[in-house]
Structures are given as structure tokens and as C-alpha cells.
Amino acid sequence: MFRRLHEGATPLPFTFEGEAVEGREGDSVAAALLALGHDATRETGVSGAPRGPYCMMGVCFDCLVMIDGVGNRQACLVPLRAGMEVRRQRGRRKAGA
Amino acid sequence: MKRLSDVASLREGYDLAIIGAGPAGMAAAATAGGRGLSVLLLDENPGLGGQVHRGVEASPLAAVPALANVPGAGRALAQAAARAEVEFLPGATVWHLDAARRIGVSAGGAARMVVARRVIIATGALERPMPIPGWTLPGVMSVGAAQTLLKAQGLVPEGRVVMAGSGPLLWLYAAQLVAAGHPPALLLDTTPRANWRAALPHLWDFLRSPYAAKGAGLLARVRRGVRVVSGVASLAIRAAPGGLEVAWPGGTARADRVLLHQGVVPQTNLAQAAGCELAWDKAQACFVPRTDGWGETNLPGIAIAGDTAGIAGAEAAEASGHVAALAALHALGALDGAARDAAAAPHQAARARWRRGRAFLDALYLPAPGFRVAPDEAIACRCEEVTGAALREAVRLGATGPNQAKAFLRCGMGPCQGRMCMLTVVETIVAARGVAPGTIKPLRIRPPVKPVTLAEIAAMDSTEAERAAVEGR
Ligand SMILES: Cc1cc2nc3c(=O)[nH]c(=O)nc-3n(C[C@H](O)[C@H](O)[C@H](O)COP(=O)(O)OP(=O)(O)OC[C@H]3O[C@@H](n4cnc5c(N)ncnc54)[C@H](O)[C@@H]3O)c2cc1C
Ligand code: FES
């Protein structure tokens, strides 16, 4: 888990795997998921192994999730918005999906 | 600074485009703005700052007294950039750059091509991969990743945190955790003891550089509050009931989170895709683009500033951003040679001052070969899950470098386009072949350097040039 040193920011409701959860204004999607205790946010296409955000700067692509039905989104780069529907990405990314 | 909100508000052409809004890009923008030229600044982050000053414009740490100095350090530069007469598109990923200085950029789900008369690449650095067994397990992340969460969101890891590796950033983040009142449980220092011998000849220059005072305080603060094990020669991480277990020769430790780091290396993929020449830098054990004192590359009109041109740190990056912008102003006819030289002199002096201490840090913190080459059971390419054993098998079958390994094993073909694995793949192959890294070619990088969706491309009112760029022709 990650803990917030400062609780000032506005709460933002969103869903992860269909469950209603909350992040904060200023979170990336990955930061919000890590603050909620979700270290595993995708399954790899080759072996199905669980993975989670590793670099938090757009390099490793281990943070790929589905956001509002669109796959391959880099959770560490996408700012969290209220109402987002976020899901784990399972398997190989599909071109253009 | 005019903040743009989408690619539709971009012009078709600019006099100068600056890619990356870290210290180098912000300094370049501050210097280039207000000279009657059109200047565009692009960054995939939501604001100014880059890695070192991440979140400087709206950091939650400003409200945390023990860490308020962290965003404070970059504020003056961010304000100078924000005052500059330039256009800034945040949240913009650059996925294409070519020798004709066409820039493919996407933001908010839409893509666009723009052309610039001059380009300054200021895409910074990334952390050197640390391919140890278990580094792909959930709960393991890089120190830089954890520090990004601290700077941008004010998040600190809870539970038993084990940090492992080497380099200034490892100690800096450990000191920041100590200051925050959440010290790590254990720090495993992998700095090879033998490195001291190579570093000593550079000690005098280091002591005279501004790095010395910064560094000594850091190490002392961490050692006071954290258990440190030095001289760790190998590491492995396993999933254990309820968490992770870290093992090294002589010990094991349970961990809720493991944070790895062994230095930073230039992020060269965009420069490579454009056709900039790279050379192997032995001291930093990585590929570095060839640039001259002004940041100019082998490609006319394309310059590189900051850590992308070789790791020299935030202050040197800032200085080199000013220098590259002055060179661009001169080339664009906005500044005569004498004015350029006079304005550049103090920045060149600052850059030299900060570079002076680097040789010591490079030599001391060069990771041991055992941490740069993937062991058999460790994953080298995270995207395609290629192990050290698979790479050595590919060498046995005739792969001589990363381009052949890619054909054999797909490593470098995943979404990260080799950004994470290239150095590991190169060093693993040269170790297996018994040749020097400088003798083999880096991975060929073709645009798009970051995945672009079909929807983004379809939404682009594409000219033939744009289609050619997207297809990598
Ligand atoms: C994770 C991390 C944390 C670090 N923390 C510190 C620290 O606390 N203190 C310190 O002294 N040094 C730190 N460093 C070292 C750092 O490299 C330098 O200090 C400094 O940030 C270099 O400045 P720069 O302007 O060259 O690049 P950066 O500050 O890295 O800025 C580069 C910018 O380019 C953007 N960019 C890159 N590629 C693209 C693209 N394709 N499209 C659009 N935008 C792009 C990035 O989003 C980034 O904002 C850190 C490095 C890393 C990798
Ligand atoms: S965590 Fe590495 S790309 Fe997002």
C-alpha cells in the first residue's frame, strides 16, 4: 500500500474491476490504484503473469489497463477523472484496440 | 506561456519545437521565448518539471513541511518557463520524429503532425534496468517510480520497504523517506567495493564540485535512520506468503515492497528514431547520442539538451537547455554570433562546474556486470518475457546483437520498443560473445516510438507525408 502524506486533494470516484472506489484529484490512474493497494494491474500476454506499474514514467508499459473500454492505456500517464471505468488488461494488447 | 489543450490548437509549423519539459526543456523555453519566433514545448506529463521537478506546479509536498523543499527546488525555473512567450501542450506524447523535423504528437486521443525549423530533444533519462530474478513481480518497482509517486501525489510506501541497488537517486529517495517519517526497513547497497579504486582518481574534482556537499549529507542522514547492508553482490526476489522475500549472499529479508535502482541512462529512442548517431559510453555503460558543445547532432536542425545527451544531472541539464536554445536562436537568425556566445558563456561555465564531479559518481556507481547482465532465470525483456537463458541460447544460434535477438525472440518488439530491455540485451549478448559493447549496433528504432492507436491515426487529416511517417517509411 501507499499512504498519502497530505489528504487535501478532492476525492474522485471511479470504478476498478466494477467496484466503486476513490482516488484524488492530481492522481494518475496508476497512482490511484497503488494507493488503493492494487499492485497487480495487468496480466501478461505471453504467460499470463500478474504485473503492475514499475517505472511510473511511461517507459515500461507494465501499467497497461483498460479505461472506459479502451485497452492499452498507460495508467501512469493518464490523469484520473471522476467516473472512469478501469479494468485490468488481460493478455496481449491488440493493435488499435 | 500559452497552454494549449488539444492537438487541434497546434499550428502546422513552428520555428522551434522543444520535446520534454524537464530542466533542459524549461530552460530552453525560457531562453527561446520572446524573440519573435514561434516556439512549441511538448511533454507527455500533465505539467512542467520533468523527472527531477515532477509536479512542481502543483505538488502536494508543498503542504508537507519536512519535504516542502522538494518542489521548491524547481519553482524558479518553472516560473521562468511559464512566463516565456511559448506555446505548451502538456499531456502530449511525441511518437514520431524524423530528419525532416516532422513531429508526430498525440494528446487526448487525437494525433497530429507538425513541422519545426529547429528541434531540441530534451527527453531526459530513464532508470537503468536491474534484471534480477523476480524484478517483474507485483510489489517490485523502481526507486524512481516510488519517488514519482512521492513528488506528484505525496504517496509513501507502507509496510516493510526494502530498497536495493546503487546510485545517488537511491540515497536521495531513502533520505526523503527518512524525512517524511517513513524510513525503509533495509537498504541493500550493491555498489561494488572495487569501484572505489576506479573512482579515487576523480575524488579531488568531486570534492570541488557542488555534488560533494549534497551527497555527504544524504548518506549520513540515511545511515543514521536505516539498516544498510553494503557490498551486496547478487540479489533475487521471490513471492512469499503475504508478500515478497529478498535474498542476497548472507541474508534474506521479508518485504511488502521492494524498490530497485542502479542509476539512470539517456532516453534516446526518439533521437534514434530520427537518425541521430549514438556511441557507446564506457564510463556510463550506455549508448549516448553524439553531440557537440551546442548540443547539435549529426542531423541538421536537431539538437539534444539535458540528460538525453549523457547523464550530467539536473543543474547541467538546465544549463545545456539554455545553451541549445541560444544556438537555435542564432541558427534562426534571431541572435548574432557574438550575442549568442556572450549569453552562453555563464551557462557553459555552470555546466562545466556541475559536470566536474560526475566522473567520480560515474566510476563509483557503475553497477557490477552481474547486475547489468540478465542471469539465466531473470527476465531481460519485460514485454515479451525473454530470459537471460533465452538470450544466451539465441547467441549460440548466431544472434550477434539486439537486432538479431529481436528477430529470434521478439525482445524489443513489445510496446516499450526496447526502451527497458535494450541495455540488458546488449550487455547480456556481448558478455556471452566476449566482445566489447561498442562493437555492436544499438537496436534500430523506427517510428512510431510509442504505440499510436488506429483511431488516433484515422482522426488525423493525413497527408501523404503523415501516412508515410506513421507507417515508418
Ligand atoms: C524517475 C527519475 C527520477 C529522478 N529524480 C531525480 C531527483 O530527484 N533529483 C535529481 O537531481 N535527479 C533526478 N533524476 C535524474 C534526472 O535525469 C535529472 O536530474 C533531470 O531530471 C534531467 O533533466 P532533463 O531536462 O534532461 O530531463 P527530464 O527531467 O527527465 O525531463 C524529460 C521530459 O521529457 C518528457 N518526455 C520524454 N519522452 C517524451 C516523449 N516521447 N513525448 C513527450 N514527452 C516526452 C518527459 O515526460 C519528461 O518530462 C531522476 C531521473 C529519473 C529517471
Ligand atoms: S509504469 Fe511504466 S509505463 Fe506506466
Side-chain angles (χ1 to χ4, degrees):
Chain A
M1 289 277 268
F2 279 83
R3 173 204 296 225
R4 292 181 197 274
L5 289 175
H6 179 66
E7 279 294 350
T10 317
L12 294 181
F14 71 105
T15 66
F16 182 57
E17 296 286 316
E19 187 194 335
V21 291
E22 223 175 63
R24 293 284 184 285
E25 182 85 49
D27 281 357
S28 61
V29 171
L33 293 176
L34 288 164
L36 289 163
H38 295 294
D39 286 332
T41 51
R42 79 171 182 115
E43 284 166 14
T44 64
V46 180
S47 72
R51 290 274 179 89
Y54 182 79
C55 74
M56 290 302 288
M57 58 172 284
V59 172
C60 73
F61 289 77
D62 264 330
C63 64
L64 293 182
V65 291
M66 303 241 315
I67 299 177
D68 296 334
V70 181
N72 284 335
R73 303 297 309 277
Q74 281 178 283
C76 70
L77 292 181
V78 178
L80 182 70
R81 303 260 178 265
M84 273 182 168
E85 289 175 21
V86 183
R87 290 192 174 273
R88 288 201 172 88
Q89 176 148 323
R90 296 199 156 85
R92 189 168 285 279
R93 69 187 195 94
K94 290 169 199 74
Chain B
M1 172 174 280
K2 181 174 162 202
R3 279 178 211 251
L4 310 177
S5 53
D6 50 35
V7 292
S9 35
L10 290 170
R11 314 179 198 193
E12 262 170 43
Y14 288 86
D15 292 315
L16 172 64
I18 303 162
I19 305 169
M26 290 192 289
T31 289
R35 306 278 187 152
L37 301 174
S38 55
V39 180
L40 173 65
L41 178 64
L42 297 165
D43 198 297
E44 66 187 345
N45 275 308
L48 297 169
Q51 305 311 344
V52 54
H53 304 312
R54 173 72 77 135
V56 58
E57 295 177 288
S59 175
L61 294 184
V64 180
L67 293 172
N69 64 324
V70 176
R75 204 161 285 138
L77 180 57
Q79 283 166 353
R83 273 195 308 271
E85 240 175 81
V86 301
E87 291 176 23
F88 176 37
L89 181 60
T93 297
V94 175
W95 44 266
H96 175 93
L97 175 67
D98 60 31
R101 296 177 305 282
R102 290 177 303 187
I103 300 165
V105 48
S106 71
R112 182 76 192 275
M113 293 292 277
V114 297
V115 177
R117 293 169 66 202
R118 306 281 305 184
V119 172
I120 297 176
I121 301 174
T123 50
L126 51 87
E127 291 173 277
R128 182 193 295 280
M130 194 161 171
I132 59 170
W135 74 307
T136 52
L137 290 168
V140 181
M141 61 195 331
S142 74
V143 167
Q147 199 209 28
T148 295
L149 289 162
L150 177 70
K151 289 175 186 166
Q153 283 86 30
L155 289 169
V156 288
E158 287 192 297
R160 274 183 65 82
V161 176
V162 174
M163 295 179 61
S166 66
L169 189 58
L170 181 84
W171 295 94
L172 174 61
Y173 179 68
Q176 289 167 340
L177 285 185
V178 170
H182 291 263
L186 176 66
L187 191 152
L188 298 169
D189 182 2
T190 61
T191 310
R193 292 213 169 92
N195 280 8
W196 276 99
R197 185 194 297 264
L200 268 180
H202 308 294
L203 181 61
W204 174 244
D205 277 342
F206 175 73
L207 291 175
R208 289 193 309 143
S209 81
Y211 280 116
K214 255 182 147 180
L218 271 185
L219 262 67
R221 280 201 297 283
V222 174
R223 287 186 181 277
R224 261 202 306 278
V226 181
R227 183 182 159 219
V228 176
V229 176
S230 301
V232 170
S234 72
L235 276 172
I237 309 168
R238 283 189 284 273
L244 299 163
E245 188 181 69
V246 189
W248 67 98
T252 60
R254 246 197 33 72
D256 296 308
R257 185 166 303 279
V258 180
L259 302 176
L260 302 175
H261 178 81
Q262 50 176 358
V264 298
V265 293
Q267 175 157 24
T268 55
N269 62 327
L270 201 57
Q272 269 176 280
C276 295
E277 282 167 13
L278 306 188
W280 182 260
D281 182 314
K282 211 169 156 208
Q284 299 190 343
C286 59
F287 289 104
V288 173
R290 286 186 209 275
T291 53
D292 67 13
W294 296 99
E296 308 282 343
T297 67
N298 56 304
L299 301 177
I302 298 186
I304 303 181
D307 271 357
T308 313
I311 303 304
E315 293 82 359
E318 179 176 341
S320 73
H322 290 297
V323 170
L326 289 165
L329 289 174
H330 174 62
L332 291 164
L335 206 60
D336 65 42
R340 173 199 62 183
D341 293 350
H347 301 301
Q348 285 161 332
R351 186 171 60 181
R353 201 162 58 242
W354 282 96
R355 278 190 181 161
R356 192 183 291 145
R358 250 1 260 199
F360 176 80
L361 294 175
D362 288 347
L364 181 61
Y365 290 127
L366 183 67
F371 285 111
R372 309 201 312 258
V373 169
D376 276 350
E377 66 282 21
I379 284 177
C381 159
R382 297 175 66 102
C383 294
E384 298 294 332
E385 296 178 69
V386 176
T387 60
L391 278 173
R392 277 181 279 276
E393 176 63 10
V395 169
R396 217 178 49 76
L397 295 174
T400 53
N403 293 299
Q404 297 82 7
K406 177 173 169 177
F408 277 68
L409 299 167
R410 298 184 53 85
C411 50
M413 262 157 95
C416 98
Q417 297 263 292
R419 228 168 305 186
M420 271 302 272
C421 65
M422 206 244 289
L423 282 179
T424 308
V425 169
V426 166
E427 297 221 68
T428 304
I429 291 177
V430 298
R433 290 183 54 210
V435 297
T439 61
I440 66 176
K441 286 209 167 60
L443 192 65
R444 264 190 305 278
I445 307 277
R446 291 211 178 82
V449 300
K450 294 219 171 179
V452 204
T453 66
L454 293 179
E456 284 170 318
I457 293 170
M460 212 157 67
D461 36 27
S462 51
T463 60
E464 172 56 22
E466 288 178 342
R467 278 192 298 275
V470 170
E471 288 158 18
R473 273 187 268 148

